[in-house]
Amino acid sequence: MTITPAFFHAVENWECAVHRVEGPRWLDEPMAKLRVGRAVTPSGTVEEAIIEIAGGRITAITDGGPDDGLWAVPGFVDTHCHGAVGVSFGDPDPEANLRAAEYHRSQGTTTLFASTVTEPLEKLEAQCRVLRGLVEAGELDGIHLEGPFLSEARKGAHDAALLRDPDPGAVERLIAAGGPALRMVTLAVERRGGEAATRRFTQAGVKVAFGHSDADEHVTAKSIGWGACIATHLFSAMRSIHHREPGPVPVLLSDERVMCELICDGIHHRPVIAKMAIDAAGLGRICLVTDAMSATGQGNGRYLLGELEVEVQDGTARLVTADGTPGAIAGSTLTMAEAFKFAIQHVGLSIPEAAQIAATTPARWHGLDEVGTLEAGKRADICVVGESGELRQVWRRGERVA
């Protein structure tokens, strides 16, 4: 990181100087100090904290900072996001994908998986190639394929004509196209070939997420044994809970091998449902995601989600239907900044609790060892928030991006 006099002048709440830091990685690097009222760390909240940064990484967190009412939390980790500012991830233009990523970065997402939707296999392969290049360049952190191996009965905003079974040939093609950048695939485990596909993706290092599935509780439990370890947007696009037909939700919430995604926007589910899920699974198995589509950061209007047209009104995205009736909810226009704030203001979490499900838990679950916590040696990905959870600043790899 190059630090200039203009940088010193412009940055709020910082004091910078050149120090010699022990260890070869940061030797002779400039050091910056971020001072905040509190910092959320794995060992607890540090009051009146000073976060020291060099070479894009945290070198120390000590006390001695101001009592200014601001909190430093780990940069947010969003592992289910389809796009923003009019761009769907997988667009053939890498620069367009970057615009979407940068928008989410400005909203606190310092670690981002780019999610695709159901498309013809050839198009998904092409999208993977574009996104893989951005992962290799460090602009994105992974690829998530949501489709095409989904259930017609629980298709949500996916094109039913393009849904298919996860036959071995299709699975191998997508693994090859995504390479190490492919981190997660959402799968209706009950489809023909579901068990073999779950085992093969898992063997290849790809997390399998139970989702857009019509499986009952028995098949759901079996799929966890096959390797499924994430629930894609819990409650949505799966059977509902009924006291005589429990469906997948109780199984997913109670099995320690599963992390459950929540879209905390007040649209996909009410706050009391989010609180119930968090209480059932614990903070260590819940993660916030946006499921944001291309309309995020834009106004009302019509947009495309894959091959389907979506209308956004007052922040709610729904499929456009032939008869004009409201269609299925089609992703969201949520940001991680809004999800984090919602979790505090409406679900009732504390700032440290919200930080765990917005960063620490998803980072740990996906093996993202360099992010998710504020501690020495980790990337200096930091969100500064107010007492009510509102985002104030975003730092990524030691540089301010918002």
Side-chain angles (χ1 to χ4, degrees), residues 211-231:
H212 286 276
S213 169
D214 198 38
D216 63 14
E217 70 272 23
H218 304 296
V219 175
T220 303
K222 287 180 181 178
S223 75
I224 297 169
W226 305 336
C229 62
I230 297 169

PDB file of all heavy atoms in Angstrom, residues 211-231:
ATOM      1  N   GLY A 211     -30.973 -26.671  -1.375  1.00  0.00           N
ATOM      2  CA  GLY A 211     -31.807 -25.524  -1.701  1.00  0.00           C
ATOM      3  C   GLY A 211     -32.626 -25.729  -2.948  1.00  0.00           C
ATOM      4  O   GLY A 211     -32.325 -26.589  -3.773  1.00  0.00           O
ATOM      5  N   HIS A 212     -33.676 -24.909  -3.086  1.00  0.00           N
ATOM      6  CA  HIS A 212     -34.633 -25.053  -4.186  1.00  0.00           C
ATOM      7  C   HIS A 212     -34.990 -26.533  -4.331  1.00  0.00           C
ATOM      8  O   HIS A 212     -34.925 -27.106  -5.411  1.00  0.00           O
ATOM      9  CB  HIS A 212     -34.062 -24.474  -5.471  1.00  0.00           C
ATOM     10  CG  HIS A 212     -34.041 -22.974  -5.477  1.00  0.00           C
ATOM     11  ND1 HIS A 212     -35.134 -22.222  -5.822  1.00  0.00           N
ATOM     12  CD2 HIS A 212     -33.063 -22.101  -5.151  1.00  0.00           C
ATOM     13  CE1 HIS A 212     -34.828 -20.935  -5.727  1.00  0.00           C
ATOM     14  NE2 HIS A 212     -33.583 -20.834  -5.303  1.00  0.00           N
ATOM     15  N   SER A 213     -35.373 -27.114  -3.200  1.00  0.00           N
ATOM     16  CA  SER A 213     -35.575 -28.560  -3.093  1.00  0.00           C
ATOM     17  C   SER A 213     -36.948 -28.861  -2.532  1.00  0.00           C
ATOM     18  O   SER A 213     -37.450 -28.141  -1.654  1.00  0.00           O
ATOM     19  CB  SER A 213     -34.507 -29.163  -2.181  1.00  0.00           C
ATOM     20  OG  SER A 213     -34.808 -30.498  -1.847  1.00  0.00           O
ATOM     21  N   ASP A 214     -37.533 -29.938  -3.021  1.00  0.00           N
ATOM     22  CA  ASP A 214     -38.820 -30.407  -2.505  1.00  0.00           C
ATOM     23  C   ASP A 214     -38.636 -31.640  -1.622  1.00  0.00           C
ATOM     24  O   ASP A 214     -39.595 -32.374  -1.357  1.00  0.00           O
ATOM     25  CB  ASP A 214     -39.767 -30.731  -3.668  1.00  0.00           C
ATOM     26  CG  ASP A 214     -41.220 -30.807  -3.231  1.00  0.00           C
ATOM     27  OD1 ASP A 214     -41.619 -29.995  -2.365  1.00  0.00           O
ATOM     28  OD2 ASP A 214     -41.951 -31.675  -3.748  1.00  0.00           O
ATOM     29  N   ALA A 215     -37.431 -31.852  -1.139  1.00  0.00           N
ATOM     30  CA  ALA A 215     -37.143 -33.022  -0.306  1.00  0.00           C
ATOM     31  C   ALA A 215     -37.862 -32.941   1.033  1.00  0.00           C
ATOM     32  O   ALA A 215     -38.059 -31.859   1.590  1.00  0.00           O
ATOM     33  CB  ALA A 215     -35.640 -33.142  -0.078  1.00  0.00           C
ATOM     34  N   ASP A 216     -38.243 -34.106   1.566  1.00  0.00           N
ATOM     35  CA  ASP A 216     -38.821 -34.152   2.902  1.00  0.00           C
ATOM     36  C   ASP A 216     -37.700 -34.267   3.934  1.00  0.00           C
ATOM     37  O   ASP A 216     -36.502 -34.221   3.596  1.00  0.00           O
ATOM     38  CB  ASP A 216     -39.818 -35.304   3.027  1.00  0.00           C
ATOM     39  CG  ASP A 216     -39.175 -36.678   2.837  1.00  0.00           C
ATOM     40  OD1 ASP A 216     -37.931 -36.800   2.868  1.00  0.00           O
ATOM     41  OD2 ASP A 216     -39.941 -37.655   2.656  1.00  0.00           O
ATOM     42  N   GLU A 217     -38.092 -34.431   5.192  1.00  0.00           N
ATOM     43  CA  GLU A 217     -37.085 -34.464   6.252  1.00  0.00           C
ATOM     44  C   GLU A 217     -36.161 -35.669   6.133  1.00  0.00           C
ATOM     45  O   GLU A 217     -34.973 -35.588   6.503  1.00  0.00           O
ATOM     46  CB  GLU A 217     -37.754 -34.425   7.628  1.00  0.00           C
ATOM     47  CG  GLU A 217     -38.517 -35.665   8.038  1.00  0.00           C
ATOM     48  CD  GLU A 217     -39.959 -35.658   7.570  1.00  0.00           C
ATOM     49  OE1 GLU A 217     -40.293 -34.946   6.580  1.00  0.00           O
ATOM     50  OE2 GLU A 217     -40.774 -36.376   8.182  1.00  0.00           O
ATOM     51  N   HIS A 218     -36.655 -36.795   5.615  1.00  0.00           N
ATOM     52  CA  HIS A 218     -35.842 -38.004   5.535  1.00  0.00           C
ATOM     53  C   HIS A 218     -34.747 -37.866   4.471  1.00  0.00           C
ATOM     54  O   HIS A 218     -33.580 -38.178   4.724  1.00  0.00           O
ATOM     55  CB  HIS A 218     -36.735 -39.206   5.233  1.00  0.00           C
ATOM     56  CG  HIS A 218     -37.847 -39.389   6.221  1.00  0.00           C
ATOM     57  ND1 HIS A 218     -37.622 -39.681   7.538  1.00  0.00           N
ATOM     58  CD2 HIS A 218     -39.202 -39.296   6.069  1.00  0.00           C
ATOM     59  CE1 HIS A 218     -38.780 -39.775   8.175  1.00  0.00           C
ATOM     60  NE2 HIS A 218     -39.751 -39.549   7.310  1.00  0.00           N
ATOM     61  N   VAL A 219     -35.111 -37.385   3.293  1.00  0.00           N
ATOM     62  CA  VAL A 219     -34.111 -37.190   2.236  1.00  0.00           C
ATOM     63  C   VAL A 219     -33.137 -36.089   2.633  1.00  0.00           C
ATOM     64  O   VAL A 219     -31.932 -36.166   2.358  1.00  0.00           O
ATOM     65  CB  VAL A 219     -34.807 -36.876   0.893  1.00  0.00           C
ATOM     66  CG1 VAL A 219     -33.773 -36.558  -0.187  1.00  0.00           C
ATOM     67  CG2 VAL A 219     -35.682 -38.042   0.464  1.00  0.00           C
ATOM     68  N   THR A 220     -33.642 -35.051   3.299  1.00  0.00           N
ATOM     69  CA  THR A 220     -32.761 -33.977   3.764  1.00  0.00           C
ATOM     70  C   THR A 220     -31.685 -34.534   4.686  1.00  0.00           C
ATOM     71  O   THR A 220     -30.496 -34.225   4.542  1.00  0.00           O
ATOM     72  CB  THR A 220     -33.571 -32.900   4.499  1.00  0.00           C
ATOM     73  OG1 THR A 220     -34.591 -32.392   3.637  1.00  0.00           O
ATOM     74  CG2 THR A 220     -32.678 -31.759   4.948  1.00  0.00           C
ATOM     75  N   ALA A 221     -32.085 -35.355   5.633  1.00  0.00           N
ATOM     76  CA  ALA A 221     -31.123 -35.947   6.566  1.00  0.00           C
ATOM     77  C   ALA A 221     -30.111 -36.810   5.835  1.00  0.00           C
ATOM     78  O   ALA A 221     -28.903 -36.776   6.143  1.00  0.00           O
ATOM     79  CB  ALA A 221     -31.860 -36.748   7.630  1.00  0.00           C
ATOM     80  N   LYS A 222     -30.577 -37.595   4.859  1.00  0.00           N
ATOM     81  CA  LYS A 222     -29.649 -38.416   4.087  1.00  0.00           C
ATOM     82  C   LYS A 222     -28.641 -37.548   3.346  1.00  0.00           C
ATOM     83  O   LYS A 222     -27.452 -37.871   3.269  1.00  0.00           O
ATOM     84  CB  LYS A 222     -30.422 -39.275   3.087  1.00  0.00           C
ATOM     85  CG  LYS A 222     -31.197 -40.428   3.703  1.00  0.00           C
ATOM     86  CD  LYS A 222     -31.926 -41.215   2.616  1.00  0.00           C
ATOM     87  CE  LYS A 222     -32.734 -42.367   3.191  1.00  0.00           C
ATOM     88  NZ  LYS A 222     -33.468 -43.102   2.131  1.00  0.00           N
ATOM     89  N   SER A 223     -29.101 -36.426   2.777  1.00  0.00           N
ATOM     90  CA  SER A 223     -28.203 -35.584   1.974  1.00  0.00           C
ATOM     91  C   SER A 223     -27.082 -34.979   2.807  1.00  0.00           C
ATOM     92  O   SER A 223     -25.978 -34.750   2.306  1.00  0.00           O
ATOM     93  CB  SER A 223     -29.004 -34.476   1.279  1.00  0.00           C
ATOM     94  OG  SER A 223     -29.397 -33.449   2.175  1.00  0.00           O
ATOM     95  N   ILE A 224     -27.362 -34.727   4.072  1.00  0.00           N
ATOM     96  CA  ILE A 224     -26.306 -34.219   4.952  1.00  0.00           C
ATOM     97  C   ILE A 224     -25.225 -35.283   5.124  1.00  0.00           C
ATOM     98  O   ILE A 224     -24.032 -34.982   5.135  1.00  0.00           O
ATOM     99  CB  ILE A 224     -26.898 -33.766   6.298  1.00  0.00           C
ATOM    100  CG1 ILE A 224     -27.874 -32.604   6.071  1.00  0.00           C
ATOM    101  CG2 ILE A 224     -25.796 -33.354   7.270  1.00  0.00           C
ATOM    102  CD1 ILE A 224     -28.712 -32.244   7.290  1.00  0.00           C
ATOM    103  N   GLY A 225     -25.651 -36.523   5.199  1.00  0.00           N
ATOM    104  CA  GLY A 225     -24.684 -37.617   5.247  1.00  0.00           C
ATOM    105  C   GLY A 225     -23.871 -37.732   3.978  1.00  0.00           C
ATOM    106  O   GLY A 225     -22.713 -38.170   4.005  1.00  0.00           O
ATOM    107  N   TRP A 226     -24.450 -37.355   2.842  1.00  0.00           N
ATOM    108  CA  TRP A 226     -23.714 -37.374   1.577  1.00  0.00           C
ATOM    109  C   TRP A 226     -22.702 -36.240   1.481  1.00  0.00           C
ATOM    110  O   TRP A 226     -21.783 -36.304   0.679  1.00  0.00           O
ATOM    111  CB  TRP A 226     -24.670 -37.248   0.390  1.00  0.00           C
ATOM    112  CG  TRP A 226     -25.765 -38.251   0.343  1.00  0.00           C
ATOM    113  CD1 TRP A 226     -25.790 -39.495   0.923  1.00  0.00           C
ATOM    114  CD2 TRP A 226     -27.036 -38.088  -0.320  1.00  0.00           C
ATOM    115  NE1 TRP A 226     -26.985 -40.114   0.659  1.00  0.00           N
ATOM    116  CE2 TRP A 226     -27.766 -39.288  -0.105  1.00  0.00           C
ATOM    117  CE3 TRP A 226     -27.604 -37.071  -1.088  1.00  0.00           C
ATOM    118  CZ2 TRP A 226     -29.049 -39.467  -0.614  1.00  0.00           C
ATOM    119  CZ3 TRP A 226     -28.879 -37.257  -1.601  1.00  0.00           C
ATOM    120  CH2 TRP A 226     -29.597 -38.440  -1.364  1.00  0.00           C
ATOM    121  N   GLY A 227     -22.905 -35.161   2.271  1.00  0.00           N
ATOM    122  CA  GLY A 227     -21.971 -34.044   2.237  1.00  0.00           C
ATOM    123  C   GLY A 227     -22.599 -32.677   2.152  1.00  0.00           C
ATOM    124  O   GLY A 227     -21.881 -31.666   2.249  1.00  0.00           O
ATOM    125  N   ALA A 228     -23.914 -32.573   1.967  1.00  0.00           N
ATOM    126  CA  ALA A 228     -24.553 -31.256   1.945  1.00  0.00           C
ATOM    127  C   ALA A 228     -24.349 -30.583   3.298  1.00  0.00           C
ATOM    128  O   ALA A 228     -24.626 -31.178   4.341  1.00  0.00           O
ATOM    129  CB  ALA A 228     -26.040 -31.388   1.634  1.00  0.00           C
ATOM    130  N   CYS A 229     -23.876 -29.342   3.302  1.00  0.00           N
ATOM    131  CA  CYS A 229     -23.492 -28.728   4.572  1.00  0.00           C
ATOM    132  C   CYS A 229     -23.931 -27.269   4.710  1.00  0.00           C
ATOM    133  O   CYS A 229     -23.527 -26.595   5.657  1.00  0.00           O
ATOM    134  CB  CYS A 229     -21.978 -28.826   4.771  1.00  0.00           C
ATOM    135  SG  CYS A 229     -21.004 -27.962   3.535  1.00  0.00           S
ATOM    136  N   ILE A 230     -24.744 -26.788   3.774  1.00  0.00           N
ATOM    137  CA  ILE A 230     -25.256 -25.424   3.820  1.00  0.00           C
ATOM    138  C   ILE A 230     -26.722 -25.470   3.413  1.00  0.00           C
ATOM    139  O   ILE A 230     -27.124 -26.308   2.598  1.00  0.00           O
ATOM    140  CB  ILE A 230     -24.465 -24.494   2.873  1.00  0.00           C
ATOM    141  CG1 ILE A 230     -23.003 -24.400   3.312  1.00  0.00           C
ATOM    142  CG2 ILE A 230     -25.075 -23.095   2.801  1.00  0.00           C
ATOM    143  CD1 ILE A 230     -22.097 -23.738   2.305  1.00  0.00           C
ATOM    144  N   ALA A 231     -27.529 -24.579   3.980  1.00  0.00           N
ATOM    145  CA  ALA A 231     -28.917 -24.418   3.560  1.00  0.00           C
ATOM    146  C   ALA A 231     -29.039 -23.092   2.829  1.00  0.00           C
ATOM    147  O   ALA A 231     -28.822 -22.033   3.422  1.00  0.00           O
ATOM    148  CB  ALA A 231     -29.858 -24.445   4.757  1.00  0.00           C
TER     149      ALA A 231
END
